[in-house]
Amino acid sequence: MTDFLWGGASAANQVEGAYLTDDRGLSNIDLLPHGEDRLAIASGQKPYQAAAADAFYPSHEAVDFYHHYKEDVALMAEIGLNAYRFSIAWSRIYPTGLESEPNEAGLKFYDNLLDELLAHGIEPIVTICHFDVPKGLMDAYGSWRSREMIAQYEKYAVTLFERFKSKVKYWISFNEINMILHKPFTGAGLTIADDENRMQVIYQAAHYEMVASALITKRLHAIDPQAKLGAMLAAGGYYPYSANPEDVRQAQRANQENNFFLDIQGRGEYPRWTEHYFDSEGIVLDRSEADFNLLKEYPCDFISFSYYASRASKADTTGVDTNTGNAAGGVVNPYLKRSEWGWMIDPLGLRIVMNSIWDRYQKPLMLVENGLGAKDLVTVDGKIHDDYRIAYLQAHLDVIEETMVEDGIPLLGYTMWSVIDLVSSSSGQMSKRYGFIYVDRDDAGQGSMRRLKKDSFHWFKAYLAEKKSKAE
Ligand code: BG6
């Protein structure tokens, strides 16, 4: 495991803040408030314009990584990380998305961040689009409803490739591309009216995103033949709730829906079940021969994925707890413990996921998100005893090692979510904390932004030091 990437992960809209600094434009997540409207807006059911007038928008300041990045990168290096997965904010580079020239101040920020990382021996893994659409593109085109987005995204991605090609080897086109099924506003800036065919809008947007991803894979290979482009899936298999074939079929169907994205991005072809499904749902997609050729010729180079929890499927959910706390739905699995937010904790499920993805696609894998959202308490002497997070991570790391050694699955790296506390994507809370590094900031946006080292910080530092010494 010597050249293994051991990192942390984050997303621009969840850490950077400084949402209008240096000419950054507004993006979809800047319009997603904390509080009771959040879920309805995130799932595309309520227009963001209908949010309460006094709503609080946590992404606007987040944890101010924009101004603290040097301190934060130094802390990552102190842990011993040799990788950091972060995303670039599209609207820092093209403030409305529509400009013909990029915003130099935005590019400069990422130049500085990349230089800081490389100076500390930290390999960047860059997500081009992590739940991120400039508002200007939402206004002009209705976001990914329109084919125009492909060219806008290509322009943005090529700007990044040209500028950062000497500094970045690993690129990810869209974070958790399958999130569009559950939260189309979060995933792709889509709001869908009640009288529209919801799945038509979603699958059309997904098609354009996947064509855009194939197109930039082509462009990346020409600009920087050494660089790799990854697809990214919110993974976590659906187990049948029981051996009842109805439950088994239900789980199979849910897994097919999830695999839809990797089938196309990994194998370059639409899965067959979609033909009947699209017909039966009245879904008619704009898909050209040129699209199909692009998808076939430029599949992703590697498959990255997030893994937090597994899911369970049941055909008849009468009397069963469906409150899984997770956008991916399903029912509560009685065999598993759950996090404070109801997510099922299932380390062995990670072995199952890694095997299923590998068996299906035979492409190198990268686990780019895994971690535990929990409430952390700061003691009077400024310590955070997050033994629950250590237990979660240790259990998952043990499973990764077994899977690599015993099943022979190639994993390029592991970037823990989220290295530093940040704004939760689903809830907008700061109190759902994931980091090794604590940030003094609360759900209402109060706090000094001071950084503190949790017990997990020291634990992971020791874990990596041991790995390194064994490898020497
Ligand atoms: C993934 C996202 O869905 O899970 C992240 O890629 C997100 O952006 C993470 O933060 C954890 O989810 P949450 O909702 O607890 O922040």
Side-chain angles (χ1 to χ4, degrees):
M1 280 188 163
T2 41
D3 50 4
F4 192 80
L5 297 170
W6 288 108
S10 72
N13 72 76
Q14 292 172 266
V15 291
E16 285 180 7
Y19 79 120
L20 296 176
T21 305
D22 292 334
D23 292 328
R24 181 187 180 281
L26 285 175
S27 76
N28 56 334
I29 303 298
D30 299 323
L31 308 166
L32 197 54
H34 175 54
E36 58 182 31
D37 284 334
R38 190 173 179 92
L39 183 57
I41 297 174
S43 55
Q45 282 152 342
K46 183 171 188 169
Y48 68 83
Q49 294 91 337
D54 60 349
F56 168 60
Y57 293 88
S59 75
H60 293 188
E61 285 161 358
V63 293
D64 199 26
F65 179 77
Y66 196 78
H67 295 109
H68 287 75
Y69 74 92
K70 287 194 178 180
E71 176 188 352
D72 295 342
V73 170
L75 286 166
M76 291 178 209
E78 190 183 327
I79 299 173
L81 303 185
N82 64 2
Y84 176 45
R85 172 186 176 231
F86 64 96
S87 77
I88 291 183
W90 191 339
S91 61
R92 279 199 198 285
I93 310 303
Y94 288 98
T96 67
L98 294 160
E99 294 81 0
S100 51
E101 293 301 320
N103 173 28
E104 179 54 32
L107 289 168
K108 188 78 193 125
F109 169 68
Y110 295 107
D111 252 330
N112 292 341
L113 171 58
L114 287 165
D115 290 345
E116 196 69 20
L117 290 168
L118 295 170
H120 284 86
I122 298 178
E123 178 86 41
I125 301 162
V126 178
T127 312
I128 296 165
C129 185
H130 189 128
F131 299 162
D132 189 16
V133 183
K135 179 176 177 294
L137 295 177
M138 291 162 54
D139 294 343
Y141 303 123
S143 190
W144 285 96
R145 286 166 180 269
S146 168
R147 184 174 276 279
E148 297 288 337
M149 288 294 285
I150 298 173
Q152 296 296 345
Y153 180 82
E154 181 191 11
K155 175 185 73 181
Y156 160 56
V158 167
T159 301
L160 304 185
F161 297 159
E162 296 283 5
R163 176 76 170 227
F164 303 130
K165 64 183 171 206
S166 59
K167 300 179 184 176
V168 180
K169 278 195 243 147
Y170 296 102
W171 298 91
I172 293 170
S173 53
F174 290 96
N175 179 64
E176 292 190 338
I177 191 160
N178 50 331
M179 190 56 76
I180 196 171
L181 293 174
H182 314 289
K183 293 191 176 167
F185 183 83
T186 297
L190 299 169
T191 304
I192 305 167
D194 289 344
D195 59 357
E196 286 188 283
N197 181 339
R198 182 174 167 90
M199 297 321 284
Q200 157 83 36
V201 177
I202 287 174
Y203 277 108
Q204 183 64 75
H207 176 75
Y208 292 146
E209 284 192 342
M210 289 186 288
V211 171
S213 184
L215 180 58
I216 67 154
T217 305
K218 177 180 177 180
R219 300 296 307 266
L220 177 64
H221 289 172
I223 293 167
D224 183 359
Q226 306 305 317
K228 304 281 179 221
L229 199 293
M232 198 298 198
L233 191 82
Y238 289 83
Y239 302 148
Y241 186 80
S242 75
N244 179 343
E246 297 288 338
D247 290 348
V248 177
R249 172 62 190 147
Q250 181 85 9
Q252 183 181 50
R253 185 74 197 89
N255 284 318
Q256 282 176 328
E257 260 180 23
N258 230 21
N259 289 332
F260 165 82
F261 299 88
L262 292 186
D263 286 353
I264 296 170
Q265 295 190 283
R267 293 168 166 167
E269 277 176 21
Y270 269 68
R272 288 207 175 183
W273 60 264
T274 54
E275 289 170 28
H276 174 73
Y277 170 75
F278 288 165
D279 280 351
S280 66
E281 295 298 315
I283 296 171
V284 182
L285 299 184
D286 164 36
R287 296 181 292 179
S288 69
E289 211 44 47
D291 293 350
F292 290 128
N293 291 340
L294 209 52
L295 292 170
K296 190 74 193 164
E297 278 175 50
Y298 296 97
C300 61
D301 298 317
F302 66 97
I303 292 176
S304 66
F305 63 102
S306 60
Y307 180 82
Y308 294 92
S310 59
R311 300 122 190 199
S313 281
K314 190 164 187 333
D316 178 1
T317 55
T318 320
V320 179
D321 189 353
T322 54
N323 188 15
T324 60
N326 195 302
V331 298
V332 171
N333 184 336
Y335 295 98
L336 299 174
K337 292 203 174 112
R338 303 170 70 192
S339 78
E340 289 173 89
W341 273 262
W343 294 18
M344 281 168 279
I345 299 176
D346 182 11
L348 183 55
L350 177 54
R351 185 166 183 170
I352 297 168
V353 157
M354 287 171 66
N355 273 279
S356 343
I357 301 180
W358 173 256
D359 285 352
R360 218 172 154 92
Y361 307 106
Q362 282 92 41
K363 286 189 185 277
L365 306 184
M366 197 187 280
L367 177 47
V368 292
E369 287 186 33
N370 171 244
L372 181 71
K375 286 184 185 137
D376 292 332
L377 282 178
V378 184
T379 60
V380 274
D381 54 350
K383 302 264 193 315
I384 298 105
H385 301 304
D386 58 341
D387 46 312
Y388 35 88
R389 183 168 295 106
I390 294 171
Y392 177 100
L393 294 171
Q394 180 73 64
H396 285 77
L397 290 167
D398 289 348
V399 165
I400 289 171
E401 185 144 357
E402 279 164 20
T403 310
M404 292 178 74
V405 172
E406 295 175 17
D407 303 337
I409 310 282
L411 188 72
L412 300 168
Y414 171 90
T415 59
M416 175 270 196
W417 188 265
S418 56
V419 74
I420 185 164
D421 287 350
L422 42 65
V423 178
S424 156
S425 170
S426 54
S427 70
Q429 293 166 303
M430 270 305 303
S431 54
K432 190 180 187 187
R433 295 177 182 275
Y434 281 91
F436 291 134
I437 303 161
Y438 182 93
V439 180
D440 177 25
R441 174 107 172 145
D442 68 16
D443 290 345
Q446 303 300 310
S448 64
M449 297 281 191
R450 189 169 157 230
R451 275 65 170 150
L452 296 170
K453 298 172 196 171
K454 301 184 193 178
D455 284 0
S456 58
F457 179 106
H458 304 291
W459 162 79
F460 202 51
K461 181 176 176 175
Y463 178 91
L464 291 182
E466 196 190 324
K467 284 259 168 249
K468 207 171 159 201
S469 79
K470 272 193 191 153
E472 279 163 6

